[in-house]
Amino acid sequence: MVVITEELIRKRAEHNEGLIFSLEEISLHQSDIEKIENIDKLCRDLKILYLQSNLIDKIENVSRLKQLEYLNLALNNVQKIENLEKCECLKKLDLTVNFIADLTSIESLKNNEFLEELYLTGNPCTKYENYRPFVVGSLPRLRRLDGTEVTNTERLDALQNLKQIRMSILEEQKEHFEKEKKKREGRGGRWYTDIGAETAHISSSTDVELTEKERKERDKEYWEQPTEYTPETRKEIHRKIEADRLAAEEQRKGVRSNKVEKRETVLERNGKRLNLNQPKWPFKYDDSNDPNLISLSVSIPKYLCTQNINVDLQTNFVKIEAEGRTFQLVFSTDISPDSSTCQRSQATGELSLKMPTLHQNLSIKPKSQPKSFREENSQLLKHQKAQNNNNFLEFDDKAKRDLDYSKIIEKNKEKLSRPLDSPKKTISEKPVSKDFIDNDDVPPLI
């Protein structure tokens, strides 16, 4: 039997990042669930709920789901429609292939004003003669029944003859329940289809003694035995399947244990610590940069709460426990736990440990002897010469040696200005030419 727990709901809420308080849709199908519970407390805003292919006997614990619009309970063991009156927003209800024989129980859905679709295919009540008129007349707001639209004519006829139809439905229900009662009484209060009920204790005790061939023959006989489709047979078949699955897992574990011994302990037989990483966390161990310090960084998932992480730091090992899994690492040298630090990043969730070694290697530098006055003076002169040389624009020493300032002056002598003592040059007038004619109409040039 599988119980609906917070862990199961959170696992099925991966599409909502694991958040259940704002969950609007969840699928819990094919989970061997036998009872609806805890959903109304944890998921108040749920709109769509899939519970098909389970072993649910009763509709219960859904009255707080005020926003529920679609409920799928197909392929279950439901025998009566009940406890859905307070699901005010319910629009679609799927009860395909159940064991509903009490058809008058649909009258509990009269107050569900928004109910538009109802599926009851595969239930015993669908064999009643006036099944469809009774459902349509009892739920006048229904638009589709078993996938077929409800016409206005059909609805009017059902409402007009609802009293007579209801009387016939009650008689058919009574006959059906009497037949079921006689069947059960004829088998000693037990369904003759309760397969395996008579030989359950025998098979469990002799199962170990049976060979593989005999076990296969017994299973073949079990599955070929004719049975009726009842809630009891469905549960018995599921128990058989679950038992076979567990037996196969145990057999595989036994074969695996013979080949490879699985090591899950943190200690060897002689008490020596082991390196262990059960959660498969990536980590980085560094003791090369500083001989007096060991650093360890472990990539722990961000979603894990820091309060749920237990770090045990000893002189020769560190052990980190979270979610029932252990990470243990043994050091090559002893460390000082009291001087160590442990921090966790809020952005990435990485756990960082800084652990100084217990025996510190202190390197003492030799003291330098004081320099003599002569050495200091020579260094000072060299420094001054280097500063003086840096004042020139030339960067090449050879270019400085070849430079001759006297030649530069001789080349530029012609370009120099005249001295102040040199005589001034006089400008004389040019003689007038013989062909010159003085014209009074022409103004003078100066």
Side-chain angles (χ1 to χ4, degrees):
M1 176 180 174
V2 177
V3 181
I4 301 176
T5 60
E6 181 179 353
E7 183 180 358
L8 177 61
I9 295 175
R10 197 178 297 279
K11 183 179 179 181
R12 296 297 180 90
E14 294 179 351
H15 60 282
N16 199 38
E17 298 182 356
L19 302 176
I20 60 177
F21 69 92
S22 61
L23 195 63
E24 295 185 355
E25 178 181 349
I26 190 170
S27 179
L28 298 171
H29 64 287
Q30 297 180 351
S31 301
D32 295 339
I33 298 170
E34 296 186 14
K35 185 178 180 181
I36 304 174
E37 55 185 345
N38 297 326
I39 297 178
D40 57 336
K41 300 176 183 177
L42 301 173
C43 310
R44 293 289 187 90
D45 298 333
L46 208 60
K47 293 184 179 180
I48 301 175
L49 177 58
Y50 295 100
L51 288 169
Q52 66 270 27
S53 301
N54 284 296
L55 303 172
I56 299 172
D57 295 324
K58 184 179 179 181
I59 304 174
E60 57 184 344
N61 298 323
V62 293
S63 57
R64 296 182 182 179
L65 303 177
K66 301 296 182 180
Q67 301 183 25
L68 186 64
E69 297 179 0
Y70 177 31
L71 176 61
N72 191 333
L73 283 168
L75 293 167
N76 277 281
N77 297 340
V78 179
Q79 301 180 26
K80 185 178 180 181
I81 302 174
E82 56 186 344
N83 300 323
L84 292 172
E85 299 87 349
K86 294 185 179 180
C87 296
E88 302 168 356
C89 298
L90 189 63
K91 295 181 180 179
K92 184 178 179 180
L93 178 61
D94 192 347
L95 293 168
T96 305
V97 191
N98 277 275
F99 300 94
I100 299 174
D102 187 1
L103 188 58
T104 55
S105 61
I106 66 165
E107 294 176 348
S108 62
L109 300 174
K110 286 184 177 181
N111 295 327
N112 299 93
E113 300 179 357
F114 299 99
L115 184 62
E116 298 177 351
E117 295 185 53
L118 178 63
Y119 293 86
L120 294 171
T121 306
N123 286 276
C125 62
T126 57
K127 299 179 181 179
Y128 299 160
E129 184 178 355
N130 294 317
Y131 152 71
R132 187 174 176 88
F134 177 73
V135 176
V136 173
S138 301
L139 304 174
R141 298 183 184 86
L142 207 63
R143 293 186 178 181
R144 294 178 69 88
L145 177 60
D146 298 333
T148 305
E149 292 188 5
V150 179
T151 61
N152 292 331
T153 305
E154 185 181 10
R155 187 179 289 104
L156 290 173
D157 292 342
L159 289 172
Q160 289 176 357
N161 304 317
L162 184 59
K163 290 184 178 180
Q164 294 82 357
I165 294 172
R166 191 175 190 279
M167 293 297 294
S168 63
I169 292 294
L170 290 174
E171 292 178 0
E172 291 185 66
Q173 282 184 181
K174 186 177 180 181
E175 293 177 2
H176 174 81
F177 290 138
E178 288 178 355
K179 288 180 182 179
E180 297 296 333
K181 186 177 180 181
K182 288 180 181 179
K183 284 183 181 181
R184 184 174 289 274
E185 290 176 353
R187 302 297 171 183
R190 174 181 58 82
W191 292 97
Y192 81 92
T193 54
D194 288 351
I195 48 181
E198 297 176 352
T199 60
H201 63 284
I202 300 175
S203 61
S204 61
S205 60
T206 59
D207 188 39
V208 180
E209 301 174 0
L210 294 176
T211 62
E212 187 67 24
K213 185 177 180 181
E214 292 174 344
R215 190 180 293 105
K216 288 183 178 179
E217 290 179 357
R218 189 195 64 181
D219 292 341
K220 184 178 180 182
E221 181 182 357
Y222 178 89
W223 291 112
E224 289 180 353
Q225 181 180 355
T227 59
E228 287 188 2
Y229 188 72
T230 62
E232 289 77 9
T233 55
R234 287 194 75 234
K235 289 186 177 181
E236 183 64 31
I237 289 171
H238 276 78
R239 294 192 190 100
K240 172 65 177 174
I241 294 173
E242 184 67 15
D244 292 344
R245 185 182 66 81
L246 294 174
E249 286 184 0
E250 290 293 331
Q251 187 176 5
R252 285 196 296 270
K253 286 181 180 179
V255 172
R256 190 186 299 115
S257 61
N258 293 333
K259 291 182 179 179
V260 181
E261 184 179 357
K262 193 174 181 181
R263 189 180 68 179
E264 293 292 344
T265 59
V266 296
L267 291 173
E268 287 184 347
R269 292 182 178 178
N270 57 0
K272 185 180 178 181
R273 290 279 171 177
L274 300 173
N275 291 330
L276 186 64
N277 189 2
Q278 290 180 343
K280 310 296 182 185
W281 292 333
F283 67 95
K284 183 179 179 181
Y285 178 83
D286 186 12
D287 59 353
S288 58
N289 293 333
D290 189 352
N292 298 325
L293 183 67
I294 297 176
S295 61
L296 174 65
S297 58
V298 184
S299 299
I300 299 177
K302 182 181 177 181
Y303 68 85
L304 284 180
C305 182
T306 306
Q307 296 179 353
N308 298 332
I309 301 174
N310 184 21
V311 181
D312 183 13
L313 185 60
Q314 301 295 332
T315 55
N316 59 345
F317 73 93
V318 61
K319 184 170 68 173
I320 304 173
E321 293 178 340
E323 291 187 332
R325 295 174 293 178
T326 304
F327 173 89
Q328 182 171 279
L329 187 64
V330 181
F331 305 134
S332 57
T333 58
D334 293 342
I335 59 103
S336 177
D338 296 336
S339 303
S340 303
T341 60
C342 179
Q343 295 178 341
R344 192 181 183 204
S345 173
Q346 294 182 353
T348 62
E350 185 179 71
L351 193 69
S352 177
L353 290 90
K354 302 293 183 182
M355 301 162 287
T357 58
L358 189 61
H359 305 289
Q360 297 285 322
N361 296 325
L362 301 176
S363 58
I364 302 173
K365 296 181 180 180
K367 292 183 179 181
S368 59
Q369 296 180 356
K371 295 180 181 180
S372 62
F373 175 76
R374 185 173 296 176
E375 291 177 354
E376 291 181 358
N377 192 19
S378 61
Q379 288 184 359
L380 181 61
L381 291 174
K382 290 179 181 179
H383 181 67
Q384 289 178 356
K385 288 181 179 179
Q387 287 184 348
N388 294 332
N389 292 335
N390 292 335
N391 292 333
F392 297 108
L393 295 177
E394 296 293 341
F395 295 96
D396 191 1
D397 294 338
K398 293 181 180 180
K400 295 178 184 179
R401 298 192 192 107
D402 297 339
L403 188 61
D404 190 0
Y405 296 98
S406 61
K407 294 179 181 180
I408 296 174
I409 296 171
E410 289 179 358
K411 290 179 180 179
N412 296 332
K413 274 184 178 180
E414 297 177 356
K415 299 180 181 180
L416 292 174
S417 60
R418 62 180 180 81
L420 298 174
D421 299 337
S422 60
K424 296 181 180 179
K425 292 182 179 181
T426 56
I427 300 173
S428 59
E429 295 183 1
K430 291 181 179 181
V432 181
S433 62
K434 296 178 181 181
D435 299 332
F436 175 76
I437 299 172
D438 188 9
N439 192 354
D440 299 333
D441 296 334
V442 178
L445 297 177
I446 297 175

